[in-house]
Amino acid sequence: MHGKNPLLGVWSVFGTYVLLTLIAVKLGAVGTVLEGMGQLLTGSVYQLTQGKTTFLMMVPTIIAVVVLELPCTIGAGIFQGVLLGKTSKHSVSEFFKNMTEGNHFFKFFVLVLAEELFARGLFLGLLPQIPALSGTFAFYVLFLLGNGIWALVHLSNFKNPEDRHWMRTLPQFVAGIFFTYIFVKYGLLAAVLAHFASNAILFAFHKIQRVDGVDALLMIYTGVCAAVSYLLMEKPLTDALPWLANEPVFELPGWGFWDYVKISVFIPSCFGLVFGFLLYDRGEVKKDKKSLGPFGYAVAIPLVLAIMFGLYAFLGLFISNVPYRILVLAILFAFLQQGASGSAVARTFWAGLPNVYITMCVLQALGFWASAGWLLVNALISAPREVLNKYDD
């Protein structure tokens, strides 16, 4: 899975894992997941569904699941490798080796979604609705069956038929146990996010962009944006916690237009600093991209806003949970992102989804016309970054 800069990819993977571990431990989610995994593995699966779960707790739980799952999966991979020896060509490695620019986030996300719909959605969500397949015993039968079939499907990744021993899929089976826990606890979307997050850490190995002076200038400018917006803030960040509630309140008491501008600059800048420091690739930038000009912006801004507000309203017909609705919207916009490396795909996931989430909260708080001004201000603030991007590799 390595690209042109494997050592830098190792730094991205290791740094991301350490960061997620610190977050999970700080938020106290590791102990909760360990307790829940114990219940799942000892036959007390339905105890996991007791008590009210919230979106605010879902995110740290997903992080803790990934932190615990990844070393177990890697350990299972090492174990089967010791028993069976090394393999020849693997389709995933070959794909990354020949990867060119494209909407790869879309491809990988749809693949993960399909896998979770089959292994968890079908076997643990739909089939238990049949009376004869309900109950604790049936759950574990369906779990073993669905997780086992899903794991065995991965044998097709091995190019050499001689490598297709069932034990090669031990890492996938182990990972599926953790994804089953998050599915039972929070549902399909959480399982998909946990699955993709686990993959995204490993995607960061595949890095192709160099690290040079342009990257340093981008980091400096991003740092200036973060520092200035933070120093100008007059409202505490904790005021925005209602955005993460199951029934979020978007219009924050006492907040004005510039307060929303500051937080929408500060949070994405912090994400930019973190993943810039971790040396993640950015999406490909077209060198010949032309500026829209005043007339172009006058047309583009209302159009973009109409699409975002329209999609948000449309998704409301199917998704009543507002945070989940915004997450789905963020995923849809991430589908449009171009990238030529696994590292760029991972950055879209780790930074792109939270940034769109914050953006949608700000838009809902401001309303349509004030959001037009907000978009214009953000475009002006981002202009130096866009210029630097054109000189990047």
Side-chain angles (χ1 to χ4, degrees):
M1 195 179 290
H2 295 303
K4 297 178 182 178
N5 297 291
L7 292 179
L8 298 182
V10 170
W11 165 251
S12 300
V13 171
F14 179 76
T16 303
Y17 184 79
V18 170
L19 176 63
L20 294 179
T21 301
L22 292 174
I23 293 172
V25 172
K26 179 68 175 179
L27 296 177
V30 173
T32 301
V33 172
L34 286 173
E35 180 182 357
M37 288 296 296
Q39 293 173 333
L40 175 65
L41 295 173
T42 57
S44 303
V45 61
Y46 289 111
Q47 291 184 20
L48 297 177
T49 59
Q50 296 177 0
K52 184 176 176 61
T53 56
T54 64
F55 178 78
L56 191 59
M57 278 305 300
M58 185 187 80
V59 176
T61 302
I62 288 175
I63 293 173
V65 164
V66 173
V67 166
L68 294 170
E69 172 267 328
L70 203 56
C72 293
T73 301
I74 292 173
I78 294 173
F79 177 73
Q80 63 84 16
V82 170
L83 290 181
L84 303 177
K86 293 184 178 180
T87 62
S88 56
K89 291 183 178 181
H90 193 279
S91 61
V92 177
S93 298
E94 291 297 304
F95 175 82
F96 277 102
K97 186 182 298 183
N98 301 310
M99 192 173 182
T100 57
E101 184 178 359
N103 297 97
H104 298 298
F105 182 93
F106 171 78
K107 297 174 185 176
F108 285 120
F109 196 91
V110 169
L111 179 61
V112 167
L113 176 61
E115 292 182 351
E116 288 302 316
L117 279 171
F118 174 79
R120 258 62 66 178
L122 173 61
F123 281 87
L124 302 180
L126 184 60
L127 291 181
Q129 301 301 316
I130 301 173
L133 298 177
S134 61
T136 301
F137 178 77
F139 171 88
Y140 283 98
V141 172
L142 292 170
F143 157 63
L144 292 172
L145 186 61
N147 201 43
I149 295 174
W150 168 72
L152 290 171
V153 167
H154 289 79
L155 287 175
S156 62
N157 290 329
F158 296 97
K159 297 293 186 180
N160 189 347
E162 294 179 0
D163 291 330
R164 295 172 185 168
H165 190 284
W166 66 268
M167 283 197 66
R168 295 290 188 192
T169 64
L170 185 60
Q172 285 78 20
F173 187 86
V174 170
I177 299 174
F178 288 88
F179 302 150
T180 296
Y181 162 77
I182 202 73
F183 175 84
V184 173
K185 191 74 175 173
Y186 290 102
L188 179 65
L189 179 59
V192 171
L193 292 174
H195 190 157
F196 198 96
S198 177
N199 290 351
I201 293 180
L202 300 178
F203 288 171
F205 272 123
H206 183 255
K207 177 177 172 59
I208 63 172
Q209 291 180 338
R210 296 171 299 174
V211 177
D212 52 25
V214 175
D215 295 276
L217 290 173
L218 282 165
M219 286 283 288
I220 291 171
Y221 182 71
T222 303
V224 169
C225 289
V228 172
S229 58
Y230 181 77
L231 291 173
L232 292 176
M233 278 187 187
E234 298 174 348
K235 305 291 191 302
L237 285 171
T238 52
D239 278 7
L241 284 178
W243 288 349
L244 302 177
N246 275 9
E247 298 179 2
V249 176
F250 296 116
E251 192 172 349
L252 303 176
W255 280 50
F257 176 84
W258 291 106
D259 295 310
Y260 293 109
V261 169
K262 294 167 197 173
I263 194 172
S264 64
V265 172
F266 175 71
I267 292 180
S269 295
C270 289
F271 277 101
L273 282 174
V274 168
F275 291 99
F277 177 73
L278 291 175
L279 305 180
Y280 274 74
D281 284 353
R282 288 176 294 278
E284 294 296 286
V285 179
K286 295 180 180 179
K287 308 299 181 182
D288 58 350
K289 183 180 178 181
K290 297 181 180 180
S291 175
L292 292 176
F295 178 76
Y297 276 107
V299 174
I301 287 178
L303 180 61
V304 169
L305 286 175
I307 293 173
M308 296 187 78
F309 276 96
L311 276 175
Y312 177 81
F314 176 74
L315 289 173
L317 299 175
F318 309 97
I319 307 173
S320 59
N321 185 293
V322 175
Y324 282 24
R325 190 192 316 171
I326 299 176
L327 265 180
V328 171
L329 185 63
I331 292 167
L332 292 176
F333 276 97
F335 287 167
L336 303 176
Q337 295 298 310
Q338 296 277 326
S341 70
S343 183
V345 171
R347 184 168 185 154
T348 297
F349 176 79
W350 293 119
L353 298 190
N355 288 345
V356 175
Y357 190 97
I358 294 298
T359 296
M360 282 307 304
C361 290
V362 170
L363 296 184
Q364 293 299 313
L366 291 175
F368 187 89
W369 294 112
S371 294
W374 173 85
L375 270 180
L376 182 59
V377 170
N378 273 269
L380 293 173
I381 294 172
S382 299
R385 190 180 294 113
E386 295 300 318
V387 171
L388 288 171
N389 275 331
K390 290 187 177 181
Y391 292 95
D392 197 18
D393 63 347

